[in-house]
Amino acid sequence: MFSDEFFDLGEVRLRARVSDSSGAEPQVVVLLHGYPQSSSAWHAIAPALAERYRVICPDLRGYGESSKPLGSPDHANYSKRVMADDILAILDHIGIHSFAAVGHDRGARVAHRLALDHPDRVTKLSMIDIAPTVEMYDRMNADIASAYFHWSFLTQPAGVPENLLRGKEKDWVRGMLTAFGQAQFRDFDPDAQRDYEEAFLDPACLHGTCEDYRASATIDLRHDRENRVAGKGIECPTQIIWGESGILARQFDPEAVWKLYVNGSLETVVLPAGHFLPEEAPELLLSHLAPFLAS
């Protein structure tokens, strides 16, 4: 049903899992993973959606089997704008114009930027368990900083977190997977977890994923603030899903926050799960995601 394909996009070569288009409806669904994961995060979601849609699951730059370039001094080559353009380049190569974007964690930030920068191409947007990047920083206090400790750690100058994590990559990945809610190791497919761990053994992955966070603290924040000042919000139908036992729900009112950034229709869903909903509660997630995509 899915094939692994690689797309040469100049600076990067990106890997994506692409479903067979035969028998699928014209609608395309792009699934974007989070940290510290890869496209394997959608192993329980993608096949179900592929029964109806053309489904594309990329590894974001810096992650999985995609390229992991050295970060630029201003971190611009890991900005969500550039990462969003990566996704469009894949779709252009395949010959796809419009699509629904579904993102979890870091992937949801890329999906958010896709909807803001390319409203003519994103037909629907579903974001799973995040608050807007600008709100994360503007509302930062001791509780949020402690809960999202990795946001500060991974944004330290290049070489600092990378060197501290070297030799501890598997422990770090396992710790991240169980740090943000009720997820336990049994919630993660062993093959998927192995993919995450093996990717992080590459020093370039440690660096690339840190650059993702460094970009959020700098250039992404500037882009988001510029959009907020200009009153530019999401125009397409939008769905926000979060887990009631995750740290997002303890630190934010996701519905109230996202109402400030969505100009179109907004559907909000809270599920009895933690942060890693695509793997903790795939059937429950699908029960809300599938009707939204079909509406």
Side-chain angles (χ1 to χ4, degrees):
M1 181 181 290
F2 282 83
S3 61
D4 276 358
E5 299 186 24
F6 287 85
F7 300 86
D8 290 312
L9 308 179
E11 183 191 19
V12 293
R13 182 172 184 259
L14 297 187
R15 177 249 201 148
R17 298 177 179 185
V18 182
S19 72
D20 185 351
S21 61
S22 61
E25 291 187 5
Q27 184 174 342
V28 173
V29 178
V30 176
L31 303 177
L32 301 174
H33 67 85
Y35 183 94
Q37 299 166 290
S38 69
S39 54
S40 295
W42 301 105
H43 64 86
I45 301 293
L49 293 179
E51 293 177 3
R52 181 167 183 177
Y53 308 109
R54 186 85 184 274
V55 177
I56 300 170
C57 308
D59 288 347
L60 299 172
R61 68 164 62 197
Y63 291 82
E65 294 186 30
S66 288
S67 295
K68 304 162 182 69
L70 184 68
S72 58
D74 62 355
H75 316 296
N77 64 333
Y78 279 91
S79 70
K80 303 309 152 295
R81 177 162 286 160
V82 166
M83 295 171 89
D85 287 345
D86 285 343
I87 307 308
L88 292 187
I90 290 174
L91 297 175
D92 288 343
H93 183 89
I94 298 173
I96 294 168
H97 178 75
S98 60
F99 59 97
V102 179
H104 170 250
D105 190 75
R106 308 306 293 176
R109 301 186 191 285
V110 177
H112 185 200
R113 179 47 57 188
L114 274 166
L116 288 173
D117 287 357
H118 305 280
D120 59 320
R121 300 192 65 170
V122 180
T123 59
K124 290 183 179 180
L125 174 65
S126 179
M127 294 183 287
I128 302 169
D129 215 67
I130 69 162
T133 300
V134 66
E135 294 290 337
M136 292 287 293
Y137 282 104
D138 284 359
R139 300 181 185 221
M140 190 68 69
N141 56 29
D143 287 342
I144 294 174
S146 178
Y148 292 95
F149 69 94
H150 61 301
W151 279 58
S152 298
F153 173 62
L154 296 176
T155 59
Q156 295 308 301
V160 175
E162 291 96 327
N163 290 334
L164 289 172
L165 292 176
R166 198 156 296 150
K168 305 176 181 67
E169 297 91 346
K170 289 186 178 182
D171 289 340
W172 174 256
V173 169
R174 293 170 185 174
M176 287 290 98
L177 293 177
T178 56
F180 304 113
Q182 63 185 33
Q184 301 180 46
F185 287 130
R186 66 172 178 265
D187 295 316
F188 297 93
D189 177 80
D191 290 337
Q193 185 173 326
R194 190 178 306 110
D195 281 351
Y196 311 151
E197 293 172 358
E198 289 179 355
F200 268 72
L201 292 174
D202 180 357
C205 183
L206 285 179
H207 174 71
T209 54
C210 286
E211 283 296 306
D212 175 14
Y213 280 86
R214 292 179 184 123
S216 280
T218 53
I219 189 167
D220 290 341
L221 197 54
R222 186 171 79 243
H223 291 159
D224 287 356
R225 284 177 173 154
E226 288 171 353
N227 286 153
R228 186 169 63 179
V229 169
K232 185 175 183 179
I234 302 167
E235 300 296 339
C236 66
T238 301
Q239 179 186 58
I240 306 297
I241 303 176
W242 67 94
E244 65 182 6
S245 63
I247 59 175
L248 177 72
R250 296 198 296 271
Q251 300 296 335
F252 294 89
D253 179 343
E255 180 174 9
V257 169
W258 277 108
K259 280 183 177 179
L260 303 173
Y261 294 87
V262 177
N263 295 338
S265 63
L266 175 63
E267 173 186 316
T268 59
V269 180
V270 57
L271 299 178
H275 174 63
F276 291 95
L277 285 94
E279 294 183 273
E280 289 180 50
E283 292 184 3
L284 191 57
L285 176 60
L286 275 167
S287 71
H288 294 274
L289 180 59
F292 172 73
L293 294 173
S295 63

